[in-house]
Amino acid sequence: MLALEMYRSVAKTALGKVAGGRLPLLLTGAAAPLRMVTLDPPRVEHDGWARLRVSLSGICGSDLGMLSGRTSLYFQPLVSLPFVPGHEIVGELLDPCGDLAAGTRVVVDPVLTCAARGLEACEACARGETNRCSRITVGDISSGLQTGFCHDTGGGWSQQLSVHRSQLHVVPDGYSDEQALLAEPVACAVHTARRAAVKPGDRVLVSGAGAVGLLATLALRELTDAGEILVVAKHAHQRELALEFGATEVVAPSETLRRIRRATSAFMLEPEMLSSPYLLGGVDVTVDAVGSKESLQTCLHATRAGGRVVLSGMPASADLSAAWFRELEVVGTYASSRGSGDFATALDLVGHDAMCRLAKTVAPYPLHRWREALDHAHSAGRLGTVKVAFDPRRTS
């Protein structure tokens, strides 16, 4: 079967880390530690596992960060190379899997927990906090925090992979594959909204209006009693979508702190040797939906003392002085939690009118056009695309 495989290359990873920001085409050319390969179809060797034929698999920001070398070395022991990327997956079961018949259309919760590894539940899994599983490097399969980062399971950037029953959610009747594809990122957004712990009437800032930011905005509007939701967006089409997804107002990055200062009567200070000003005062909750140093800095500098900063995008390093001095709560939000029913809630939200319209804009590519697909994904914000995906069924 055809698949895209990420492999270990210190030289290419270093080249991507050094030059990828200035020369993004390197990330799908000379600097990409990714190759098209022909692999044997997956074999089911453990109870509860089945083969899945992939219909669509999304390209996530974390995938792009991995390929460009921007991902922290913290994650190196949590993956097993070589592996097939792709953790946003909708497909059709080729084998019966527990109570699900062959042919059932499913979406995949990619986290590989104790259940998938054939282990007794750790304390986190026993509480239903499956995204906090402490045994993601042991058990029946090789190390891998998720499907799409594990050698033994395969991933969505291929024609087939293996999945465990604990990962599967049946696609509701009437949903297109494109709608179903959005379920996993929406489940992450649901988890983000719950981790944000927004109180009634709270002012919320979402920094970023790509897929992560838009879906977080929708989840915050639908699942919390937030008051004003201010979204930071770079591009005109993102501003329109953010309003459709529940934003009260949308601002350009350069105007964010000034807008918050006016709304909250905060004081804005501009240190001589610091490139960005900051507020004394600000919003109650901020969500970093980008993961860049600049975005995280905006969130830290825009949050009132005692407020909460939620890391929804995989974070870059930043000056944490504001977190210390203003006693901010900095909260991580990773994947989704099965015990909280994040996926079930997400599948309901996928039926939202705004989500239905978004699904129609998914840009699918066949596997052999992977360089073009990744180029598109790297420039998605500028090109007006929210989600780029692989469709392994396509040949052109």
Side-chain angles (χ1 to χ4, degrees):
M1 69 172 188
L2 292 178
L4 297 172
E5 183 179 72
M6 183 174 179
Y7 60 97
R8 189 181 306 279
S9 173
V10 174
K12 289 191 174 186
T13 299
L15 178 60
K17 187 181 289 288
V18 171
R22 296 188 299 274
L23 300 169
L25 289 179
L26 279 174
L27 305 179
T28 55
L34 191 69
R35 59 196 173 196
M36 175 77 79
V37 295
T38 301
L39 301 175
D40 292 332
R43 292 183 299 173
V44 176
E45 298 180 344
H46 302 287
D47 291 342
W49 287 84
R51 297 171 300 153
L52 182 73
R53 179 189 292 120
V54 179
S55 300
L56 288 174
S57 183
I59 300 175
C60 176
S62 60
D63 299 320
L64 298 177
M66 168 190 68
L67 291 170
S68 66
R70 296 197 308 271
T71 301
S72 169
L73 294 176
Y74 174 92
F75 295 98
Q76 187 272 329
L78 305 179
V79 303
S80 46
L81 290 161
F83 61 78
V84 177
H87 59 276
E88 300 173 355
I89 305 164
V90 55
E92 181 180 299
L93 285 171
L94 294 174
D95 309 303
C97 191
D99 57 328
L100 301 180
T104 303
R105 196 162 57 117
V106 296
V107 291
V108 177
D109 178 346
V111 179
L112 294 165
T113 63
C114 292
R117 295 179 172 278
L119 301 171
E120 182 180 347
C122 66
E123 291 184 4
C125 286
R127 293 192 299 267
E129 297 168 354
T130 46
N131 57 326
R132 301 179 181 179
C133 178
S134 60
R135 296 177 179 168
I136 52 178
T137 60
V138 295
D140 291 339
I141 55 176
S142 54
S143 295
L145 66 167
Q146 295 186 5
T147 294
F149 300 94
C150 175
H151 173 76
D152 291 349
T153 64
W157 297 4
S158 64
Q159 293 176 306
Q160 295 181 28
L161 70 151
S162 57
V163 291
H164 189 263
R165 177 63 186 91
S166 62
Q167 298 180 279
L168 303 181
H169 300 266
V170 177
V171 177
D173 292 339
Y175 277 19
S176 67
D177 286 340
E178 290 77 12
Q179 282 178 275
L181 177 67
L182 298 173
E184 193 278 337
V186 173
C188 296
V190 169
H191 189 64
T192 293
R194 288 173 171 159
R195 290 282 288 159
V198 174
K199 297 175 182 176
D202 273 357
R203 282 193 173 98
V204 181
L205 172 71
V206 178
S207 180
V212 175
L214 290 173
L215 300 181
T217 300
L218 177 67
L220 286 163
R221 181 56 74 202
E222 295 293 321
L223 303 178
T224 76
D225 293 321
E228 181 180 69
I229 300 178
L230 185 68
V231 175
V232 183
K234 286 184 177 180
H235 306 288
H237 75 277
Q238 291 178 333
R239 291 193 285 271
E240 295 171 3
L241 284 170
L243 291 170
E244 187 175 357
F245 275 63
T248 308
E249 187 178 347
V250 185
V251 295
S254 61
E255 295 298 320
T256 302
L257 292 185
R258 291 184 180 85
R259 166 63 181 79
I260 294 172
R261 179 185 62 79
R262 290 195 301 270
T264 63
S265 299
F267 292 98
M268 187 160 70
L269 306 181
E270 300 190 38
E272 291 182 5
M273 303 297 290
L274 194 65
S275 61
S276 173
Y278 63 86
L279 300 179
L280 295 180
V283 298
D284 302 293
V285 178
T286 56
V287 177
D288 175 16
V290 178
S292 68
K293 179 179 179 179
E294 294 76 16
S295 179
L296 179 53
Q297 184 173 265
T298 294
C299 289
L300 291 168
H301 289 184
T303 308
R304 64 164 175 79
R308 176 169 287 209
V309 177
V310 183
L311 308 181
S312 185
M314 189 181 294
S317 59
D319 183 351
L320 295 177
S321 298
W324 170 76
F325 177 57
R326 308 300 285 161
E327 293 196 335
L328 304 179
E329 295 182 35
V330 180
V331 176
T333 172
Y334 165 68
S336 61
S337 171
R338 293 173 197 167
S340 299
D342 292 341
F343 245 90
T345 302
L347 285 168
D348 287 338
L349 285 180
V350 166
H352 190 283
D353 287 346
M355 290 299 302
C356 293
R357 288 189 286 274
L358 184 65
K360 294 178 181 178
T361 70
V362 171
Y365 286 83
L367 289 173
H368 71 270
R369 290 172 58 192
W370 64 271
R371 295 184 191 278
E372 185 180 349
L374 294 176
D375 283 342
H376 190 166
H378 277 295
S379 303
R382 177 175 57 83
L383 295 175
T385 306
V386 175
K387 179 59 63 178
V388 181
F390 287 111
D391 182 347
R393 303 165 297 183
R394 296 180 59 173
T395 58
S396 62

